[in-house]
Amino acid sequence: MKKIGIIGAGISGLFISNLFKEIPNYEVTIFEKKQSIELEEGYGIQLSTNSIKLLNKIGFNEIEKKEKFNPKKIDFYEIKNQKKISDLNISEYNSEDCKYTTMKRSKLLEFLKNSLNEEVIKYEHNIEKIEKKNDQINLTFNNKLNFICDYLIISDGIFSKGKSLISDNKIQPIYNNSIAIRGKIPMANLNNLNEMNISLFVGHDFHYVIYPIDKRSGEFNFIGVLKHQLSINELNNYSLFEEKAFIDEIKKKLQNKISSSILSKLNNIKCFPVFVSKDFHKSIKNIHLIGDAFFAFPPSFAQGASQSIEGASELFESIINNKTDFYRNRVSRVKMINNRSKLNQFAFHASNPIVVFLRNIGLKILTKNKTFLENYLGKIYKN
Ligand SMILES: Cc1cc2nc3c(=O)[nH]c(=O)nc-3n(C[C@H](O)[C@H](O)[C@H](O)COP(=O)(O)OP(=O)(O)OC[C@H]3O[C@@H](n4cnc5c(N)ncnc54)[C@H](O)[C@@H]3O)c2cc1C
């Protein structure tokens, strides 16, 4: 029996545990620093067909249909004049049981957690030390408990302590000079947006996306990404983003960027700084990273969760088939998606009138160009 220790019960850690569950020779234990997995928050997540295909392998298609939504298109709008620029048919990449999906992030986590035996997840375990002993790895946690495993999978998110420990703090995420604003908005306040689609508004140093999160609540998810400089002190002040004064300052900045009917009806607003990865940390024989701990992208391609799922599946296949190609293959795919995420962010936030003009023409042409779409999206969504 091979023992697998997993640090972090997020999307990637829970998903890979579900894959190993079916393989008799492996025993998985997840160590999570929190007391529980938060299942209350109602914010949304987008999952493209590449990850839905993998999630279906562990029974995702059996989740009740009313808990999920399958948007048909992405409608692009210009913030300045609220006019539609173009639309992109994302359902083009769907098949009968594998559709682009939006849902509550908490519903996805609940499904991943409930598919595992309860004793697999050990809560209140914050990793403190990782030591290699011959072919095994010795983990020490804050509560002084130890665990010896044959494989270590580090999936503790963007600020990965596991990665800091194995890289001697050399690889740290960087601030993306932007903050994310999350909220929810009732369907009744969407004005004339098509509620079957994802609406993406682009503008000067800011873009936002509104999409449905299920078929029953009538609530829509709002996620905006605003260019915003923060001082070192502000970045180190963990409570800043909870402070009413800070949220009010951001809301003020948004006043001329979002229509007042939407801004005034946004509820549960939360802000947080967006951090991204710059470098990779190479896998060492039996220590691997997945999800945001492996690499975190700017959130402008909505691929973070999907890539966490894809990376987890690739690592699983590599371990059970005794292969050594996980790191190399993952790096090349991550680089491709990271470049596209950065290009999207640049195009969405353009302010120079000539660039805006070219972007809008480009969007009109490229969203209808099959060859371009096959290369830009198909390569990712059809993996
Ligand atoms: C604004 C924004 C919007 C996004 N929207 C989308 C979207 O629409 N679609 C999409 O695909 N992706 C989206 N993403 C990205 C996506 O949320 C992440 O890529 C994904 O959640 C990463 O999963 P993960 O398992 O790697 O990490 P996480 O989900 O962050 O989980 C990490 C887990 O590790 C635990 N942990 C942390 N430290 C320790 C420790 N020391 N010891 C033990 N446990 C620890 C944490 O408590 C947590 O449970 C978005 C990201 C942002 C910033």
Side-chain angles (χ1 to χ4, degrees), residues 263-287:
L263 189 58
S264 64
K265 295 294 174 201
L266 263 189
N267 50 54
N268 290 58
I269 296 184
K270 278 196 180 155
C271 299
F272 54 95
V274 178
F275 279 80
V276 292
S277 301
K278 212 174 67 182
D279 295 313
F280 297 93
H281 182 78
K282 201 167 185 325
S283 297
I284 324 162
K285 209 173 148 213
N286 52 356
I287 302 183

Side-chain angles (χ1 to χ4, degrees), residues 8 10-12 32-33 46 105 125-126 156 223 291-292 302 304-306:
I11 294 170
S12 57
E32 167 58 48
K33 78 170 176 187
Q46 299 183 47
R105 186 192 179 90
H125 278 64
N126 192 340
D156 52 357
I223 173 85
D292 281 3
S306 291

Side-chain angles (χ1 to χ4, degrees), residues 7-14 31-34 37 44-48 105 109 125-127 141 155-162 180-182 211 223-225 272-275 290-293 295-297 299 301-308:
I7 302 174
I11 294 170
S12 57
L14 291 171
F31 300 98
E32 167 58 48
K33 78 170 176 187
K34 292 193 190 141
I37 294 173
I45 196 156
Q46 299 183 47
L47 296 162
S48 46
R105 186 192 179 90
L109 285 169
H125 278 64
N126 192 340
I127 186 74
F141 296 92
S155 54
D156 52 357
I158 173 77
F159 300 109
S160 174
K161 192 166 169 195
I181 301 119
R182 282 189 155 165
Y211 59 84
I223 173 85
V225 178
F272 54 95
V274 178
F275 279 80
I290 52 173
D292 281 3
F295 197 92
F297 310 92
F301 213 121
Q303 272 296 303
S306 291
Q307 288 309 309
S308 297

